[in-house]
Amino acid sequence: MTSKHKSAFTLLELVLVLSLLGILLSFGIPQFSHYTQNACIKKLQLQVLNLKLTLKAQKQQNLATDWNALYQNLDLKPSTCYFEKQKNGFIANDNGRKAYFVLKNLILECQHTKSARLHNGESLCDIF
């Protein structure tokens, strides 16, 4: 004679596991959000640095500013972290916060905007 004894989790065990999972996720999700935001800013900084190096090389060779060559350094695909073209410059877009860059006298300048404020009061221009 065989016994049909099924093993299963008790309600208490399920509640405890779900509670612990909820507590762990409540700490993990904000950290992940902070990580992705920092990654976006680092990506924008690196691309602006590459653009500045290309601009400097053009300047040293006494070449006219070639915007097509400069734009090759930037991620122009619309997403949460990308650049947009504008006349004589570009716009850095970090999750809706924008910093406007213009070229004046062969110098790249960042223009401060209210929408470009970071959580600590700095502007996006301050990190470039």
Side-chain angles (χ1 to χ4, degrees):
M1 190 164 209
T2 60
S3 167
K4 292 187 178 184
H5 185 277
K6 295 182 181 181
S7 22
F9 294 109
T10 65
L11 183 60
L12 179 63
E13 291 171 331
L14 290 174
V15 168
L16 286 174
V17 168
L18 290 176
S19 298
L20 288 174
L21 188 61
I23 291 169
L24 291 174
L25 286 175
S26 69
F27 289 110
I29 291 174
Q31 291 297 324
F32 181 73
S33 173
H34 183 69
Y35 171 77
T36 56
Q37 191 174 41
N38 284 343
C40 176
I41 289 172
K42 294 295 181 193
K43 171 187 162 185
L44 295 176
Q45 284 177 323
L46 182 61
Q47 291 179 9
V48 169
L49 176 64
N50 286 335
L51 184 133
K52 286 179 180 180
L53 292 174
T54 304
L55 183 62
K56 185 176 181 179
Q58 288 180 2
K59 189 176 174 182
Q60 286 177 344
Q61 296 173 1
N62 294 325
L63 299 174
T65 304
D66 181 7
W67 281 104
N68 291 327
L70 293 175
Y71 285 144
Q72 288 179 356
N73 295 301
L74 305 178
D75 179 11
L76 298 170
K77 296 177 197 164
S79 63
T80 58
C81 183
Y82 68 104
F83 291 93
E84 300 171 30
K85 292 181 183 180
Q86 75 171 11
K87 185 179 179 183
N88 293 332
F90 56 93
I91 301 168
N93 189 336
D94 171 27
N95 295 308
R97 296 182 303 215
K98 295 182 178 184
Y100 296 86
F101 291 88
V102 292
L103 190 64
K104 292 183 180 176
N105 300 324
L106 296 176
I107 297 173
L108 192 63
E109 292 182 4
C110 184
Q111 299 174 343
H112 296 274
T113 62
K114 289 181 182 179
S115 69
R117 291 280 173 223
L118 300 174
H119 66 280
N120 58 1
E122 290 182 327
S123 170
L124 273 177
C125 289
D126 296 336
I127 62 172
F128 290 105

